[in-house]
Amino acid sequence: MIFRRVLRYFKPYIGTIIFAVLCTLLVAGSTASMAYIVKYVIDDVFIKHDKAMLAILPFAFIGIFFLKGAGKYGQQLLMVKVGETAIMEMRNDLMKRIQERELTFFEKNGTGSLLARMLTDVSLMQNSVTYFVDFIRYLSTMLGALFVLFQKDWSLALIVCLFLPLAYFPIKRISKLIKRNTKKTQEKIGGLSKVLLEAFSGIEVVKSFGTEERELKRFRAEGETVLYYTLKRSRINSATAPILEFLASFGVAAVIWYGGNRVISGAITPGDFFAFLSALLMLGEPIRSIGNVNNKIQQAIAASERVFEIIDAPSDPCETVGDRELGPEVEKVSFENVRFSYNTREEVLKGVSFEAKKGEMIALVGESGAGKSTIMKLLPRFYGITGGSIKINGEDTRSFTAKSLRSRIAIVNQSTFLFDDTVHNNIALGRPTATREEVVAAARAANALKFIEELPKGFDTLVGERGDTLSGGQKQRIAIARAILMNSPILMLDEATSALDSESEKEIQAALSELMKGKTTLVIAHRLSTILHADRIIFMKNGEVAEVGTHDELTARDGDYARLCRIQFGSA
Ligand code: ADP
């Protein structure tokens, strides 16, 4: 089945493949015809001393080698081209499919394992293309040699054929071992990449806590398991050729014994015998190599099973449901009795309901772990809810395409992810077509213009991996500029001003209030001072809405919110 699945990628190149196979046949044919040369050398030159034949044979020899070389060149070149192109398309599909998965998929698989699939599994498949070409060549050489064998002496050839099936059983067993081993190795390589990723991306933590030893130890441990499986595979690989050769020696021994008797009794000429023997020895190379090539192909099959497991996996509903476009007019966002749990663990939201109208600012407060960030992640459908519904303009968000839904929501998070690209492109992320003037205006509104203009190349400065060359506050201002530029009807701010000094915070707050006008805004704030004027404050407790109201209403109520206020502002 996996074979058929892979084959689909090769279908468009069928013409090239046929041409490559013709080249292969040329190689096999010229190899097999060498056996005839041997016959003429022995019978006509050595025994009959035929001078005319001697004059022809060297040219025939050169001619055959020329054809063989041309065939080999064509076959290799064409197949590699087809193979590499098909693999690239497979890798692109893999990337596309992975991006279409919901967040849970990434949390479950881990970046390390996904990287291993994208890189090493695909490259295992890539290697196999060349091996597959060899496989075809060996197979056709074998068929050519068998043809010569039967043509020379069918009774001798039958003896050979009796021994051929012997090779089947070890090859079958070895294939299974290799496949299982490859899957294990690839899993372990995933583990290795995970340790590497953590050690490098967390380098600051590693250095400040001095955990280099620990990382090295983890790396060694993962490396040792990889080594264990690699050596195991190498043992299988190294045994393959000797086992097959040993089996083949039985066939050759039988041929020498039986064929020698036939020469002595005069049934065949010595030339026939040697032609037969050289055809037989020609079988040796393919048989031995087919074992090794088969091992590589099994490896590739294991890798493709891991790759197609992802390409062919069913889509995640929260990424694919809905076929309508959500327009730019958003009058109302509502959560109705929304229930949700990550994986199968305990419910994180236990029936949350609230409403946010156009122009309103809704603040979510509550202790950490109450489910505030989760609410923010459910509106853009990063996860699928398990109960209730989330509606925009009274319609379930599941009726809209994920793309259009998300394009109407601008998010500013605590941690801003920047791409290793220019400041301009990082700001224009949600609207790549924005002009420089628009980007500058957004940066100005986010109070980011001054620091950007001081960068070495201004808006064209590269920010480094994850924006490492910028300060936390600068990154946050870029994130706010991003949201301003997107100009979406829904705005979600998660502690948006946490990384700013109080001076910038004031300015940004002003910019944000301007931005919020006419939009529907959800804010998570730990510092209550920023949400005193919210239209409604929702106090979350253990995945439930505990209190709802304005600041004045809630303080008058003297509940959890009032208590939180007293802690933050003092009893006054
Ligand atoms: P808050 O934003 O109020 O601090 P969160 O919404 O982040 O709370 O978290 C609510 C609960 O969900 C917590 O118990 C947290 O451990 C859990 N949680 C958050 N994110 C995930 C996740 N990706 N996978 C599993 N559990 C999660």
Side-chain angles (χ1 to χ4, degrees), residues 75 93 104 109 111 135 167 211 259 438 440 485 489 519 531 540 550:
Q75 166 225 38
D93 279 357
T104 350
N109 282 287
T111 321
F135 187 78
T211 62
E438 289 170 318
V440 171
L485 188 65
K519 304 206 157 124
I531 53 155
M540 296 285 302
T550 61

Short mmCIF file of all heavy atoms in Angstrom, two decimals, residues 75 93 104 109 111 135 167 211 259 438 440 485 489 519 531 540 550:
data_model
loop_
_atom_site.label_atom_id
_atom_site.label_comp_id
_atom_site.label_asym_id
_atom_site.label_seq_id
_atom_site.Cartn_x
_atom_site.Cartn_y
_atom_site.Cartn_z
N GLN A 75 20.46 6.26 -17.26
CA GLN A 75 19.56 5.72 -16.24
C GLN A 75 19.72 6.46 -14.92
O GLN A 75 18.75 6.92 -14.32
CB GLN A 75 19.89 4.23 -16.09
CG GLN A 75 19.31 3.58 -14.88
CD GLN A 75 20.35 2.71 -14.21
OE1 GLN A 75 21.52 3.05 -14.16
NE2 GLN A 75 19.92 1.58 -13.71
N ASP A 93 4.43 18.61 0.53
CA ASP A 93 3.12 18.17 1.01
C ASP A 93 3.16 17.95 2.52
O ASP A 93 2.22 18.28 3.24
CB ASP A 93 2.71 16.85 0.33
CG ASP A 93 2.13 17.11 -1.04
OD1 ASP A 93 2.01 18.30 -1.39
OD2 ASP A 93 1.80 16.14 -1.74
N THR A 104 -2.74 21.02 19.28
CA THR A 104 -2.56 19.79 20.06
C THR A 104 -1.59 18.84 19.37
O THR A 104 -0.80 18.16 20.03
CB THR A 104 -3.90 19.05 20.23
OG1 THR A 104 -4.94 19.89 19.79
CG2 THR A 104 -4.11 18.64 21.65
N ASN A 109 3.36 15.80 19.39
CA ASN A 109 4.51 15.26 18.66
C ASN A 109 5.84 15.87 19.08
O ASN A 109 6.86 15.20 19.05
CB ASN A 109 4.33 15.46 17.17
CG ASN A 109 3.39 14.44 16.59
OD1 ASN A 109 3.75 13.28 16.46
ND2 ASN A 109 2.17 14.83 16.33
N THR A 111 8.54 19.29 18.70
CA THR A 111 9.28 19.84 17.58
C THR A 111 10.38 18.88 17.11
O THR A 111 10.62 18.74 15.92
CB THR A 111 9.93 21.17 17.99
OG1 THR A 111 9.00 21.87 18.80
CG2 THR A 111 10.27 22.00 16.79
N PHE A 135 18.43 -1.22 -7.88
CA PHE A 135 17.61 -2.42 -7.74
C PHE A 135 17.12 -2.89 -9.11
O PHE A 135 17.24 -4.06 -9.47
CB PHE A 135 16.43 -2.11 -6.81
CG PHE A 135 15.62 -3.30 -6.44
CD1 PHE A 135 16.06 -4.18 -5.47
CD2 PHE A 135 14.40 -3.54 -7.05
CE1 PHE A 135 15.31 -5.28 -5.11
CE2 PHE A 135 13.64 -4.64 -6.71
CZ PHE A 135 14.10 -5.52 -5.72
N ALA A 167 17.48 -17.89 -1.40
CA ALA A 167 17.81 -16.53 -0.97
C ALA A 167 16.57 -15.80 -0.45
O ALA A 167 16.68 -14.85 0.32
CB ALA A 167 18.42 -15.76 -2.13
N THR A 211 23.82 24.38 33.49
CA THR A 211 23.37 23.00 33.30
C THR A 211 23.99 22.35 32.07
O THR A 211 23.45 21.40 31.53
CB THR A 211 21.84 22.93 33.17
OG1 THR A 211 21.47 23.69 32.00
CG2 THR A 211 21.14 23.50 34.37
N GLY A 259 28.52 -29.36 -14.50
CA GLY A 259 28.98 -28.82 -15.78
C GLY A 259 30.32 -29.44 -16.18
O GLY A 259 30.54 -29.78 -17.34
N GLU A 438 2.28 52.99 5.55
CA GLU A 438 1.34 52.38 6.49
C GLU A 438 2.07 51.74 7.67
O GLU A 438 1.65 51.83 8.81
CB GLU A 438 0.47 51.35 5.77
CG GLU A 438 -0.53 51.97 4.82
CD GLU A 438 -1.22 50.95 3.92
OE1 GLU A 438 -0.52 50.03 3.41
OE2 GLU A 438 -2.42 51.07 3.72
N VAL A 440 5.04 52.55 8.77
CA VAL A 440 5.60 53.60 9.61
C VAL A 440 4.51 54.20 10.51
O VAL A 440 4.71 54.42 11.71
CB VAL A 440 6.23 54.71 8.73
CG1 VAL A 440 6.61 55.92 9.58
CG2 VAL A 440 7.47 54.16 8.02
N LEU A 485 -1.63 47.57 12.49
CA LEU A 485 -1.62 47.51 11.04
C LEU A 485 -2.70 46.55 10.52
O LEU A 485 -3.31 46.77 9.48
CB LEU A 485 -0.25 47.07 10.54
CG LEU A 485 -0.04 47.15 9.03
CD1 LEU A 485 -0.11 48.58 8.56
CD2 LEU A 485 1.29 46.52 8.64
N PRO A 489 -11.32 43.72 13.35
CA PRO A 489 -12.44 44.14 14.20
C PRO A 489 -12.37 43.58 15.61
O PRO A 489 -13.02 44.10 16.51
CB PRO A 489 -13.67 43.61 13.46
CG PRO A 489 -13.16 42.54 12.54
CD PRO A 489 -11.76 42.91 12.19
N LYS A 519 -13.91 48.65 18.11
CA LYS A 519 -13.56 47.23 17.97
C LYS A 519 -14.08 46.45 19.16
O LYS A 519 -14.49 47.04 20.17
CB LYS A 519 -12.04 47.09 17.91
CG LYS A 519 -11.47 47.93 16.80
CD LYS A 519 -10.19 47.38 16.30
CE LYS A 519 -10.02 47.91 14.90
NZ LYS A 519 -8.80 48.61 14.71
N ILE A 531 -7.37 48.27 33.46
CA ILE A 531 -8.72 47.85 33.03
C ILE A 531 -9.84 48.49 33.84
O ILE A 531 -10.99 48.06 33.78
CB ILE A 531 -8.87 46.32 33.09
CG1 ILE A 531 -8.49 45.81 34.47
CG2 ILE A 531 -8.03 45.65 32.03
CD1 ILE A 531 -9.15 44.51 34.80
N MET A 540 -12.53 35.18 36.54
CA MET A 540 -12.51 33.74 36.30
C MET A 540 -11.97 33.02 37.52
O MET A 540 -11.03 33.48 38.17
CB MET A 540 -11.59 33.40 35.12
CG MET A 540 -12.00 33.94 33.77
SD MET A 540 -13.37 33.03 33.08
CE MET A 540 -12.68 31.38 33.04
N THR A 550 -18.92 45.95 36.03
CA THR A 550 -17.92 47.00 35.89
C THR A 550 -17.08 47.04 37.16
O THR A 550 -17.41 46.38 38.14
CB THR A 550 -18.58 48.37 35.70
OG1 THR A 550 -19.37 48.63 36.87
CG2 THR A 550 -19.46 48.40 34.47
#
